[in-house]
Amino acid sequence: LREENFRTRPIVQVHDSILFDTNAKEIDDVKTIVESVMCAKRFDWYGDIPIEVEFEVGKNWGELEKYDV
């Protein structure tokens, strides 16, 4: 994200979730980048285990709604 000069930054990781601070203009691009990084095969022993990535967007935790592009 920094290499592409996005203002989006990861804020906190809670269990299997990562919270990002972003703005509406960057959401689609950030989603694409984060998804590709999270799903990238890093180890040979990983095999063909699918990794599912879901996105939710909202102004705060209480307002999160599923986000699909």
Side-chain angles (χ1 to χ4, degrees):
L1 296 173
R2 286 186 181 162
E3 290 176 9
E4 300 293 328
N5 294 319
F6 284 104
R7 294 179 61 205
T8 298
R9 296 290 181 256
I11 300 299
V12 66
Q13 177 183 347
V14 179
H15 302 288
D16 61 350
S17 298
I18 304 171
L19 178 66
F20 289 88
D21 182 23
T22 190
N23 61 58
K25 293 178 183 177
E26 294 183 355
I27 290 175
D28 291 340
D29 291 331
V30 168
K31 180 182 183 295
T32 300
I33 292 169
V34 170
E35 192 168 34
S36 68
V37 170
M38 296 297 293
C39 292
K41 185 176 179 181
R42 289 177 173 69
F43 307 103
D44 288 334
W45 54 263
Y46 240 47
D48 293 328
I49 300 170
I51 297 177
E52 188 174 318
V53 179
E54 296 176 355
F55 291 86
E56 296 178 329
V57 175
K59 291 186 178 195
N60 58 55
W61 282 86
E63 296 180 9
L64 293 178
E65 294 181 3
K66 191 169 182 175
Y67 184 77
D68 292 315
V69 176

